[in-house]
Amino acid sequence: MQSIHKRPAIDGDLGWYESSPSRHSGLGARLKGEQHFDVAIVGAGFTGISLARRLAEIRPQARIALIDALEIGQGTSGRNAGFLIDVPHNVDGGQPDAEYERQLFALNNLAIGQLRSLKERYRIDCGWHDAGKYMSAHEEGNLARLECFADALKAAGFEYEVVEGQALSRRLGTSYYKAAVYTPGNVLVNPAALVRGLAAALPESVTLFTASPVVACDYGPVHTLKFLGGTLRADVLALTVGSFSEAFGRVGNRLASLFTYASLTEPLCGSEVSAHFNGVRPWGTTSAHPAGTTVRYTPDGRIFVRNTFHVQPALRSSDTCLQAAWENHRRSFEARFPSIAGKRFEYTWGGLISMTLNHHSVFRKDGDNFFSTVGCNGVGVVKGTYLGHFMAEYMNGMRSRELDFIMANSLPGWMPPEPFKRIGASLRLRREVAGAGGDV
Ligand SMILES: Cc1cc2nc3c(=O)[nH]c(=O)nc-3n(C[C@H](O)[C@H](O)[C@H](O)COP(=O)(O)OP(=O)(O)OC[C@H]3O[C@@H](n4cnc5c(N)ncnc54)[C@H](O)[C@@H]3O)c2cc1C
């Protein structure tokens, strides 16, 4: 029996979850007693939910359990910046491969299309906004990264626009950035509201267990999952637990899990909007530098700020780390919006990003009737959605061009064990943050 010692926690005040319109609607039940299902999926984020939905379509008779340690929307899927990114999100400045990027673009759009149609069909109130996305630079030295990104978009034939100076300030309500590359296909959402809406819309053959952490596992031939006061046996097991995969003893030396942090202000009042954001539509920008700050102006008039990375092998944040992130967020917010610098942050929280060295994901069979999917590299709203969908097809022996592409790109590079991984990641982070300068 494998004990699961590292389990998800609530790291701070979860802003999207707390401000989600469906926050008080009950979703799922705690797992108690003896249960038996055909399939167990552990992890009800974007990946697990998409996997459950597709599996229920392929095998309508199967009894499927979808299990999460937290309430739906409290995990990383509900803590992110809410970008549904269509274009390859490569700011590494590597050589672009246009054909690879076109295939990724097609998969991203397939996932965005699925999410859009579910949002419409089930009327999911999640602040869905076809806002596009800016990638912006403040530092002169980071403008070259924007050019590199624009070159990659051009080579692949994707639509984009370069916006600079005054024109950019008018669109964003801040003159902080020198230039940006705007891509129109990105969608912005409240991710906790979206993931809750998707979970609520799952077919009847999927039973949802929430606030039910798996505390131990015995793998196959019939898999046994242990809970506090309960046991679940399943013929097939799929893990979609994100950064917690290593705790399940399966994905060793392929993942680096990093904490990053976000804050959300109180909504701006009418006079603040008319004085500083008059005619400005909701927007979102990532940074031209990978260690830079992500910022949004939301449809309900809040400013969202994300930056700061910490290596936390325990997979939990701490008050000290949250306080340090809050201070970084204040600095970034006040630099960009000096005219509303007094605005309070209502929420500050942390969440985990599971990184692989070459941006490949873990997408594989781990044993008899045992499958794992993880490694969304910070773009898991869309990537998790298509990986979950195609994992269900893979589990059922289906083949397609998309699945071949995913399989060919599911060979994450080897990572050294602890403590070398932690030391290497910390050194790299320090170097990156220093290079980002005023883009943090
Ligand atoms: C601050 C921040 C900003 C980000 N911004 C973006 C963005 O704008 N766009 C984007 O696409 N991505 C973004 N990401 C990344 C994105 O959130 C992830 O890639 C995505 O959540 C991965 O989804 P998932 O379903 O694979 O995993 P997760 O969302 O991590 O879901 C895994 C689930 O497994 C559950 N679990 C773990 N252990 C157990 C256990 N023992 N028992 C039961 N359940 C368990 C967890 O509670 C969790 O709900 C961001 C991440 C962070 C932290």
Side-chain angles (χ1 to χ4, degrees), residues 4 6-8 42-48 67-71 74-85 212-215 227 240-244 248 258 260-262 304 306 349-354 373-384:
I4 317 289
K6 295 181 186 174
R7 303 202 288 265
V42 185
F46 284 103
T47 308
I67 302 145
D68 205 283
L70 304 173
E71 298 295 340
Q74 290 182 332
T76 308
S77 284
R79 299 186 197 184
N80 57 60
F83 287 68
L84 278 56
I85 304 176
S212 304
V214 177
V215 298
F227 301 82
T240 53
V241 288
S243 299
F244 293 89
F248 282 76
L258 298 178
T260 183
Y261 298 82
F304 168 96
R306 185 216 54 82
W349 67 94
L352 283 157
I353 291 193
S354 36
T373 314
V374 61
C376 290
N377 287 288
V379 290
V381 177
V382 161
K383 191 170 193 174

Side-chain angles (χ1 to χ4, degrees), residues 33-46:
E34 296 283 317
Q35 309 270 354
H36 190 210
F37 283 82
D38 299 313
V39 184
I41 303 168
V42 185
F46 284 103

